[in-house]
Amino acid sequence: MAAITIENLGKTYAGGATAVTGIDLDIRDGEFVVLVGPSGCGKSTLLRMIAGLEEITEGTVRIGGREVNRLEPAERDIAMVFQNYALYPHMTVRQNLSYGLKNRRMARAEITRRVDEAARILEIGQYLDRRPRALSGGQRQRVAMGRAIVREPAAFLFDEPLSNLDAKLRVTMRGEIRALQRRLGTTSVYVTHDQLEAMTMADRLVVLRGGRIEQVGTPLDVYRNPVSTFVAQFIGSPSMNLLPGVIDGGTLRLGGARFAGTGAAGPVTVGIRAEDLTIARPDAEGAMAAQLLTVEELGSQRLGYFDIAGERVVAAFPAGQVLRTDMALTVSPARLHLFDTSGCRIAA
Amino acid sequence: MRAFATNKMQTKRTIFRNRWLPYLLLAPQLAVTLVFFLWPAGQAVWQSFLREDAFGLKTTFVGLANYTRLFDSPEYLNALRVTLVFSVSTAALALLSALLLALALDRTIRTTRLYTTLLVWPYAVAPAVAGVLWWFMFNPTIGILPYLLEGLGYDWNHALNKGDAMALVIIAASWKQISYNFLFFVAGLQSIPASLREAAAIDGAGPVKRFFTITLPLLSPTTFFLLVVTVVYTMFDTFPVIDATTGGGPAQGTTILVYKVYDDGFIGLNLGSSAAQSVILMGIVIVLTVIQFRYVERRVTY
Ligand SMILES: Nc1ncnc2c1ncn2[C@@H]1O[C@H](COP(=O)(O)OP(=O)(O)OP(=O)(O)O)[C@@H](O)[C@H]1O
Ligand SMILES: [Mg+2]
């Protein structure tokens, strides 16, 4: 159990490429933090610097108050779950789980106790004598988890551990990982590029972009108050609609409609979540004329894709909602997200 | 390289429309095998049951007499022993050095085009040329290495000393095979995911322990394949090396089986015995190949 403190962390690879810069992050003891961002934004690099697999070129990492910059991975008291599981193919499941304990010269009875306990928790007892090759993807995933928990480390590090599983198993496993982590209370850092995984698992989300932290917050906080158009579009599915608007004399003109506007005059980008759009009478205040393009059925919801003043906009409706070709949509002014032209949120 | 090594082991099935097409496609290969392998092999087997008199005038069928004689002959038993020492030492040297070089490369894979290219060159050198090169370097009168050894107080002379001669042929023979083994080891090492070694590092295994508990076991299919290939090489393809350096001497100290086949057959003109010896050699290589394929098919892939 330990807090992880990251200060001004940066990584420049030998070739001169800067993958990560100026990362400041406090991860509390027992917290489950998810690093999320598009491919190449430096999530793995950041995680691997915490693990000690990648040399730190700037800043410091502390685990449990101890600076670990110069420590070997084995000395950092962390366990890592890899995307490809990295199970030792020539060892049985039991040997895979015991390997790290044996290397630490733990008593044999204690090793057996811990492995059996982990096997019981993860329900992999009947596979203990098999090789990884003879296991399904989900079972391998459990073994990889098992190898992490037998060590009883100060922190778990996960690098996209579920991305090799099919969609359904992924949903099950993310619930299980989270339940297990709550039960053990082990500080965890979890990397994913899947925003849904990030939203559902995280105590706190860290959205990365181009090697920097874009926003840190609870999933709901980030969803409701994205600091930039980047976060707004990355978090949430379907992605937030972004429309060009103009603030002029205290009103916001948007898609042919007027809303009570705020702040400085000038062009803005207006963000609207799909579920915040509602059907309005064409002559109502704040009604935007919308032409239906296509409909996607999700079963529980219908997604309508509209053309509003030349912009493509998606709106979510309850199942069975009747949609016509020419309609009017509106949104409550309180639900508008305003961004300046550089994409930063304008405080309401 | 790796793909080559594993592809060979998988069975692929292709359906041909025309019944005769597959045979037609195989025909050139079969013809070559027939003319250059099966035919001479058959000749050798037949020859091994015969005995010619000293002038080549009379040939008699003697059954297994050529074989039984061999195993009573101290020279043949000596050749067996020499072959054993030579093969085991050459294989060990060629495999170990190749593995060390490959490990050195694996640590710094990015900047090593040149290194790889240089290491592969020896493989392109003809065995006889390799032999002559080493013969020069170890030549007691003009070679550089005996000169250096003398500085260390060692009097090198492979023309007189059996041990020196053996060392010379072992070095010359393994030098060439190192390149080949090196390439396979590099491919083998690269096919081990980095994350395995990283996981082991997190699991508290230092570099040495990682090597012995992760890398080496995962490399074992490659190692085994190379071991068989190298042993076969030492027993058959090293003839030019020996012929160009020691000529089997001194006092038969480096006369390996294949050299004795040549010596007895072409120099001593004892064709029956020579044929029997080559049949035994053929038997050895067949056994090695069978082991190789059995083993490789069963547990080569993790
Ligand atoms: N060993 C390396 N040498 C040089 N540059 C690297 C190295 N590893 C990663 N990079 C670069 O650093 C940046 C961040 O890479 P990183 O692997 O951390 O991204 P990521 O967020 O994990 O992406 P993904 O979601 O695709 O895994 C990328 O631009 C990548 O090209
Ligand atoms: Mg990554």
Side-chain angles (χ1 to χ4, degrees), chain A residues 149-168:
Chain A
I149 67 175
V150 289
R151 293 255 322 278
E152 300 181 4
F156 293 141
L157 306 177
F158 301 87
D159 194 353
E160 311 210 16
L162 303 183
S163 55
N164 286 354
L165 300 179
D166 67 68
K168 199 169 166 200

Side-chain angles (χ1 to χ4, degrees), chain A residues 26-203:
Chain A
D26 268 314
I27 300 170
R28 290 185 286 271
D29 184 14
E31 196 176 21
F32 196 101
V33 165
V34 176
L35 307 179
V36 67
S39 185
C41 68
K43 309 178 292 287
S44 299
T45 305
L46 178 51
L47 192 77
R48 291 166 58 82
M49 280 197 283
I50 301 174
L53 298 175
E54 213 68 77
E55 200 194 334
I56 293 170
T57 54
E58 200 186 342
T60 54
V61 173
R62 282 195 191 81
I63 299 177
R66 181 172 61 130
E67 187 184 313
V68 296
N69 279 32
R70 308 208 161 276
L71 296 186
E72 291 291 316
E75 300 164 334
R76 298 189 180 196
D77 199 15
I78 47 103
M80 184 153 166
V81 179
F82 293 82
Q83 176 170 1
N84 63 1
Y85 317 131
L87 300 178
Y88 311 123
H90 56 301
M91 300 184 192
T92 63
V93 169
R94 181 180 286 281
Q95 289 166 334
N96 264 280
L97 297 191
S98 339
Y99 184 71
L101 305 180
K102 276 198 191 125
N103 288 339
R104 289 179 168 75
R105 303 182 189 289
M106 188 176 282
R108 191 177 294 173
E110 174 67 3
I111 295 180
T112 311
R113 192 191 66 73
R114 286 204 192 181
V115 170
D116 289 341
E117 170 75 2
R120 193 182 57 75
I121 294 174
L122 293 162
E123 298 169 11
I124 51 173
Q126 71 257 47
Y127 315 124
L128 280 177
D129 294 321
R130 287 203 203 162
R131 296 265 168 88
R133 195 176 23 158
L135 299 178
S136 73
Q139 291 160 348
R140 286 179 205 183
Q141 174 58 50
R142 281 165 200 271
V143 176
M145 278 301 297
R147 193 168 61 181
I149 67 175
V150 289
R151 293 255 322 278
E152 300 181 4
F156 293 141
L157 306 177
F158 301 87
D159 194 353
E160 311 210 16
L162 303 183
S163 55
N164 286 354
L165 300 179
D166 67 68
K168 199 169 166 200
L169 197 53
R170 207 153 22 180
V171 174
T172 325
M173 285 306 296
R174 76 184 186 219
E176 286 189 17
I177 290 180
R178 206 47 243 271
L180 184 62
Q181 186 270 343
R182 282 215 178 86
R183 183 164 145 195
L184 302 171
T186 310
T187 313
S188 301
V189 185
Y190 187 105
V191 162
T192 179
H193 62 259
D194 179 347
Q195 61 86 24
L196 189 63
E197 212 169 281
M199 287 288 287
T200 50
M201 296 182 80
D203 287 329

Side-chain angles (χ1 to χ4, degrees), chain B residues 58-255:
Chain B
K58 206 158 56 106
T59 304
T60 41
F61 184 84
V62 293
L64 290 173
N66 283 327
Y67 292 92
T68 48
R69 259 187 193 213
L70 276 183
F71 288 98
D72 289 336
S73 138
E75 274 127 51
Y76 190 72
L77 296 179
N78 173 62
L80 266 178
R81 199 185 47 77
V82 168
T83 307
L84 192 71
V85 172
F86 173 71
S87 282
V88 169
S89 317
T90 307
L93 186 62
L95 284 173
L96 272 178
S97 332
L99 182 56
L100 285 177
L101 291 169
L103 284 170
L105 175 81
D106 198 49
R107 295 185 71 92
T108 52
I109 195 70
R110 270 160 215 278
T111 53
T112 44
R113 268 275 162 70
L114 184 72
Y115 178 78
T116 315
T117 313
L118 289 179
L119 276 173
V120 172
W121 272 357
Y123 195 59
V125 176
V129 176
V132 170
L133 275 177
W134 286 99
W135 180 83
F136 266 118
M137 277 195 278
F138 274 112
N139 189 300
T141 39
I142 57 170
I144 175 87
L145 292 168
Y147 177 75
L148 294 177
L149 284 171
E150 202 175 307
L152 297 174
Y154 187 84
D155 186 17
W156 175 276
N157 193 341
H158 61 251
L160 298 175
N161 184 322
K162 276 192 184 183
D164 289 356
M166 182 57 96
L168 171 60
V169 291
I170 288 171
I171 292 172
S174 41
W175 179 68
K176 246 190 74 61
Q177 192 64 12
I178 287 173
S179 306
Y180 181 86
N181 294 350
F182 165 78
L183 281 182
F184 273 85
F185 274 133
V186 168
L189 283 172
Q190 308 238 303
S191 71
I192 299 175
S195 59
L196 284 186
R197 274 173 269 177
E198 291 172 351
I202 291 175
D203 265 343
V208 176
K209 184 152 214 174
R210 281 205 293 278
F211 175 75
F212 283 106
T213 57
I214 308 290
T215 311
L216 203 55
L218 292 180
L219 216 50
S220 68
T222 310
T223 313
F224 182 77
F225 168 77
L226 290 177
L227 181 66
V228 175
V229 168
T230 308
V231 167
V232 169
Y233 160 79
T234 59
M235 298 188 90
F236 298 93
D237 296 345
T238 47
F239 174 82
V241 176
I242 297 208
D243 200 39
T245 49
T246 62
Q252 309 238 332
T254 54
T255 301

Side-chain angles (χ1 to χ4, degrees), chain A residues 216-295:
Chain A
V216 181
T218 62
L220 271 187
D221 186 30
V222 173
Y223 186 81
R224 289 194 182 133
N225 303 302
V227 298
S228 65
T229 51
F230 173 82
V231 177
Q233 290 221 291
F234 193 76
I235 301 293
S237 174
S239 268
M240 185 187 274
N241 298 300
L242 294 179
L243 301 167
V246 176
I247 295 182
D248 184 12
T251 52
L252 165 68
R253 281 187 282 123
L254 172 71
R258 284 163 184 279
F259 296 88
T262 50
V268 290
T269 302
V270 182
I272 307 172
R273 293 260 178 228
E275 66 271 22
D276 291 336
L277 283 164
T278 51
I279 297 172
R281 287 205 322 278
D283 54 349
E285 164 106 10
M288 299 174 283
Q291 282 81 47
L292 184 65
L293 301 172
T294 55
V295 176

